[in-house]
Amino acid sequence: MKHFSELSGAAERVVDVAEVLIQQAGYNGFSYDDVARQVGIKKPSIHHHFPTKADLVAVVAQRYTHRFRQELLGIEGKHAKAAQRLTAYAALFEATYAQDQRLCVCGMLGAEAQGLPPEVRQEVNYFFAANLEWLTHVFASGAAQGGLRLSTTPQAHAQLFLCALEGAMVVGRGGTPTMGPAMVGESLISLMLA
Amino acid sequence: MKHFSELSGAAERVVDVAEVLIQQAGYNGFSYDDVARQVGIKKPSIHHHFPTKADLVAVVAQRYTHRFRQELLGIEGKHAKAAQRLTAYAALFEATYAQDQRLCVCGMLGAEAQGLPPEVRQEVNYFFAANLEWLTHVFASGAAQGGLRLSTTPQAHAQLFLCALEGAMVVGRGGTPTMGPAMVGESLISLMLA
DNA sequence: GTCTATATAAAGATAGAC
DNA sequence: GTCTATCTTTATATAGAC
């Protein structure tokens, strides 16, 4: 598969637009023509960069995951305590959601997963696995350092935290203003403070 | 809008099939022809019962929400303690998820909400509002009775609980086996036991 | 890299017969 | 209530010129 680091300028603009469209409407909710119009080129030019829709979306997910992992490293460099890291982690989701209630790319694709091409599913899966691994480490450290009080395994806390944030982006999108990821994350963290 | 209680036998079979298709692939992931084939009739017959796709999906969501509220009443009749009610509530999500990782109808439609017809969005919104109201009451009761230890408002706990369960159905659908709604719910409940 | 033109299939929806 | 036939639009994708 193509790697996002090898994209030309035009191809990168295509990925930029496709990413937002996926966050808004999902894999089945946008077309090559939507992308073409927003980028300002024609449909066949999109196919030139990404022969199939599966190619395009896989690269979108790949780049999204890579950037997310960069953010995780950034959090590790900026915060020492587990609770601070979790707050910063929730803020990543909040930053996306604050832009017109955009969804996590992989949250949206995860919901649609059953009908997606394998290469896309694989990238989505990798995103969740990487996040769970990172969160598991944070919870284990928090428990060891005494800052967090766990009621079960670090793995289960990681799963719970990720699910709560992904869910926060889905719930209430219908219209009624509800709590966003940052507040949901804060509620959960407050339950685990030692 | 049509009410699900007025559906003919054939129309109800259409709704049955559409419900599962929505859970698997979402609003944009299935077609009238998919429904027609599975029901065993032709496409125009579906249009006879539901002129537009928005009509059909709105009725699916409407019936889904009604049945969910019946389940909530059932839980109230079966369990007195807040913690028990929350476990039973999580089991509702687990029962759906256990069938080929089917999603909550309104979780899926919530993710797609930005591109959906207003009448569908309204039903989805009503589902979330009804669930949050019920959960808020359970948490308030649990705190008053002393069975649950809340770190913030009952409203925030309700939001957190619903988000965690909806998220649990999305995360890990990519392939890696992770925790389902029942386990995520149990992890969260264990954090709140007094 | 981008375009015009085109192929092919599928989508949502309607008309009108039975 | 169901069907065949059809309309119209859109989707993904390709061929080949510039």
Side-chain angles (χ1 to χ4, degrees):
Chain A
M1 202 193 62
K2 192 175 288 188
H3 189 263
F4 73 90
S5 66
E6 303 166 323
L7 300 179
S8 69
E12 202 160 354
R13 263 174 290 135
V14 169
V15 172
D16 290 341
V17 168
E19 179 176 286
V20 176
L21 287 172
I22 291 166
Q23 292 177 307
Q24 290 174 337
Y27 186 93
N28 294 312
F30 81 101
S31 72
Y32 264 41
D33 216 32
D34 295 328
V35 179
R37 269 190 301 254
Q38 288 197 27
V39 173
I41 58 181
K42 298 294 179 182
K43 226 181 351 174
S45 303
I46 312 290
H47 280 286
H48 170 75
H49 299 291
F50 304 96
T52 71
K53 199 178 183 181
D55 292 326
L56 169 57
V57 176
V59 170
V60 170
Q62 186 196 60
R63 191 186 70 169
Y64 185 83
T65 300
H66 179 84
R67 289 182 172 174
F68 217 90
R69 287 164 62 87
Q70 284 184 309
E71 299 281 1
L72 298 186
L73 269 179
I75 290 173
E76 290 181 46
K78 208 173 291 176
H79 302 287
K81 292 181 183 170
Q84 293 174 321
R85 290 181 176 184
L86 294 176
T87 298
Y89 182 81
L92 295 181
F93 289 76
E94 182 69 26
T96 299
Y97 189 72
Q99 299 176 306
D100 312 309
Q101 302 189 319
R102 275 187 215 163
L103 246 61
C104 168
V105 165
C106 293
M108 178 66 88
L109 295 176
E112 293 178 296
Q114 303 227 3
L116 297 187
E119 57 264 53
V120 176
R121 274 226 297 268
Q122 203 181 335
E123 294 294 331
V124 172
N125 204 31
Y126 179 55
F127 174 86
F128 287 135
N131 276 270
L132 289 172
E133 189 196 338
W134 189 84
L135 284 170
T136 297
H137 176 256
V138 172
F139 280 109
S141 301
Q145 295 165 355
L148 295 182
R149 178 184 54 86
L150 306 193
S151 64
T152 168
T153 64
Q155 282 81 12
H157 281 76
Q159 180 92 19
L160 170 59
F161 202 74
L162 175 59
C163 290
L165 296 181
E166 290 287 355
M169 302 180 96
V170 168
V171 173
R173 250 192 150 198
T176 302
T178 48
M179 296 163 57
M183 280 187 66
V184 168
E186 220 38 58
S187 296
L188 186 46
I189 293 168
S190 71
L191 278 170
M192 305 190 284
L193 290 178
Chain B
M1 203 194 62
K2 192 175 288 189
H3 189 262
F4 72 91
S5 65
E6 303 167 323
L7 299 179
S8 68
E12 202 159 354
R13 263 174 290 136
V14 169
V15 172
D16 290 340
V17 167
E19 179 175 287
V20 176
L21 287 172
I22 291 166
Q23 292 176 309
Q24 291 173 337
Y27 186 94
N28 295 312
F30 81 100
S31 72
Y32 263 42
D33 218 32
D34 293 329
V35 178
R37 268 191 301 255
Q38 287 198 28
V39 173
I41 58 181
K42 298 295 179 180
K43 217 177 6 167
S45 302
I46 313 289
H47 280 285
H48 170 75
H49 298 291
F50 304 96
T52 71
K53 200 178 183 181
D55 291 328
L56 169 56
V57 176
V59 170
V60 170
Q62 186 196 60
R63 191 186 71 170
Y64 186 82
T65 300
H66 180 82
R67 289 183 173 175
F68 217 90
R69 287 164 62 86
Q70 284 183 310
E71 300 281 1
L72 299 185
L73 270 180
I75 290 173
E76 289 181 46
K78 208 173 293 177
H79 302 287
K81 292 181 184 168
Q84 293 173 323
R85 289 181 176 183
L86 294 176
T87 297
Y89 181 82
L92 295 181
F93 289 76
E94 182 69 26
T96 299
Y97 189 72
Q99 299 177 306
D100 312 308
Q101 302 189 318
R102 274 186 216 164
L103 246 62
C104 168
V105 165
C106 293
M108 177 67 88
L109 296 176
E112 293 178 295
Q114 302 226 2
L116 298 187
E119 56 265 53
V120 175
R121 272 225 297 269
Q122 202 181 336
E123 294 295 331
V124 172
N125 203 32
Y126 178 55
F127 174 86
F128 288 134
N131 276 269
L132 289 172
E133 189 196 338
W134 188 84
L135 285 169
T136 297
H137 177 255
V138 171
F139 279 109
S141 301
Q145 297 165 354
L148 295 182
R149 177 183 55 85
L150 306 194
S151 64
T152 169
T153 63
Q155 282 80 11
H157 281 75
Q159 180 92 17
L160 170 59
F161 202 75
L162 175 60
C163 290
L165 296 181
E166 290 288 354
M169 302 180 96
V170 168
V171 173
R173 250 192 150 199
T176 302
T178 47
M179 295 164 55
M183 280 188 66
V184 168
E186 220 38 57
S187 296
L188 187 45
I189 293 168
S190 71
L191 278 170
M192 304 191 284
L193 289 179

